[in-house]
Amino acid sequence: MNEAVELARELIRIDSVGGGEAAVAEPLARRLSDAGFAVRRHEHAPGRTGLVARWGTGEPVTLTGHLDTVPLGGQAWRHAPHGAEIDGDRLYGRGSSDMKAGVAALVVAAERHVRRAGAKVALEVVLTAGEETGCDGAAGMAAAGLVGRSRALLVAEPTANRVLLGHKGALWLEATTRGRTAHGSMPHLGDNAIYKLARVIGAVERFDPGVPDHPWLGPSTVNVGTVRGGINVNSVPDLAAATIDLRTVAGQDHGRLRERLQTALGDEATLDVLVDLPAIWTEPDDPFVRALVDAGAGAPGDQPAASYFTDASVLATACGGGPTVICGPGEPEQAHVTDEYCLVHRIEEAVEIYSAALAGLAP
């Protein structure tokens, strides 16, 4: 069986739901070290280990993927979530599409690149922990200075091997209102934080992000995701909070956006940042995009942006802001679902695409 498929199966068999990435990182660190890469590990919490592996001299191409996976959900699986079963052309398991198949493909492609004869572009392989909870591992690596400037960034998230040119940013905020508690039979003695939060939510619903639609990423959007408040039915609540999900487009300033929202809410709520990840966008005529398409990746087409955010929101800046492309063997609609699968032939295809694209770049 194809080397990358077998590696993907090995990784799927390791449970990294919400943590434990160290167990996934270690076999990959050994492989990359054996291939000649200089490997550095980064632990942003106990057991939450990622790695940065560097080979060659000069500005590298950076290849990246994450090692954590999301929870299994409450629905029963027909295929063991960590069994890595193959049925026909489908490889089943949590993380098969999102995104252990992508990690396996880029690691095998990196190994082949090093073994190939002739002058070769330098490589940096960045494998992160904690992507699913807000790119925590990538942020820690960037803060520690472990990720260097590169000529291009390739993110192997699930795209069915089609080139995607970016994704929206995410600014997640928590709006908190405060009041004064009192007995529910004497509400005039209290100050109801939930009433304040209701007014805040109304203001959020009416809020205009204030930027034109991006021609490919679409509009900047806002959504209230959760609401909580109160301690019991017969007390005036003195604390309430709501989470707000703002999705942003390329060029949108998150600091300014937060200021505008705070002004719209007035002094009834305080805003705290939960996640702050900028949008990513690369023009379709970029040479790195053309290299991947010429190597066999699907062209961006009419929907050239991912619906999800990626570690690129952190790593693109750390890498110097060069072209960033998302292209991986997983099936996008399989991310986070029960009985998640990846198509076996796409894993093999991804290795060929990555290898050919890297071979076509001048050292």
Side-chain angles (χ1 to χ4, degrees):
M1 186 171 289
N2 178 277
E3 182 181 12
V5 176
E6 278 302 309
L7 179 56
R9 297 183 76 190
E10 178 184 347
L11 301 182
I12 291 166
R13 292 186 183 112
I14 302 171
D15 183 354
S16 57
V17 171
E21 295 95 336
V24 188
E26 280 310 308
L28 298 174
R30 288 194 297 270
R31 287 185 68 122
L32 290 166
S33 180
D34 290 345
F37 284 78
V39 178
R40 295 171 293 175
R41 293 165 178 80
H42 176 265
E43 185 178 71
H44 78 273
R48 311 297 305 270
T49 301
L51 63 88
V52 178
R54 179 71 184 263
W55 177 89
T57 58
E59 282 193 1
V61 171
T62 298
L63 312 176
T64 188
H66 65 82
L67 307 179
D68 57 321
T69 56
V70 297
L72 303 181
Q75 187 176 349
W77 287 54
R78 292 183 298 108
H79 297 269
H82 299 108
E85 301 171 20
I86 291 180
D87 185 358
D89 192 36
R90 294 182 176 183
L91 168 58
Y92 285 91
R94 175 55 86 219
S96 52
S97 272
D98 187 16
M99 57 170 294
K100 290 179 176 178
V103 168
L106 66 82
V107 167
V108 171
E111 293 170 339
R112 291 185 185 179
H113 180 74
V114 169
R115 292 196 300 263
R116 183 176 62 82
K120 299 179 282 287
V121 65
L123 292 183
E124 186 171 69
V125 179
V126 178
L127 304 178
T128 66
E131 188 271 351
E132 296 287 4
T133 52
C135 306
D136 306 322
M141 287 177 170
L146 297 180
V147 181
R149 185 178 181 86
S150 67
R151 57 193 291 182
L153 174 64
L154 172 64
V155 186
E157 288 275 12
T159 70
N161 287 336
R162 187 165 68 90
V163 170
L164 298 182
L165 304 174
H167 56 74
K168 288 184 177 181
L171 178 61
W172 294 354
L173 305 171
E174 184 171 65
T176 303
T177 56
R178 291 174 170 81
R180 183 175 63 257
T181 191
H183 197 283
S185 66
M186 296 176 287
H188 59 285
L189 298 180
D191 184 15
N192 195 308
I194 289 179
Y195 289 162
K196 292 181 179 180
L197 187 64
R199 292 189 289 271
V200 165
I201 291 171
V204 172
E205 184 179 15
R206 296 186 297 273
F207 179 70
D208 179 0
V211 294
D213 292 0
H214 188 277
W216 295 111
L217 295 176
S220 178
T221 61
V222 59
N223 179 68
V224 173
T226 66
V227 176
R228 70 178 190 277
I231 53 174
N232 58 351
V233 68
N234 58 337
S235 293
V236 174
D238 62 353
L239 185 68
T243 53
I244 303 167
D245 180 356
L246 293 137
R247 299 298 170 121
T248 59
V249 299
Q252 195 168 2
D253 186 304
H254 283 195
R256 176 60 181 147
L257 179 62
R258 181 187 173 194
E259 290 173 0
R260 290 184 64 252
L261 180 58
Q262 183 69 74
T263 299
L265 302 186
D267 59 4
E268 284 202 310
T270 57
L271 289 177
D272 294 301
V273 176
L274 304 177
V275 167
D276 187 353
L277 300 171
I280 296 295
W281 182 253
T282 296
E283 292 300 325
D285 59 352
D286 186 89
F288 189 57
V289 174
R290 292 201 303 270
L292 285 163
V293 173
D294 291 346
D302 294 334
Q303 295 181 319
S307 59
Y308 45 78
F309 63 74
T310 75
D311 275 330
S313 288
V314 174
L315 297 178
T317 300
C319 289
T324 298
V325 174
I326 307 163
C327 181
E331 300 298 308
E333 71 278 3
Q334 285 296 308
H336 302 191
V337 303
T338 301
D339 283 311
E340 177 185 350
Y341 67 81
C342 178
L343 298 181
V344 171
H345 80 270
R346 292 209 198 278
I347 306 174
E348 303 165 348
E349 182 181 70
V351 176
E352 298 301 324
I353 291 168
Y354 300 158
S355 298
L358 292 171
L361 296 175

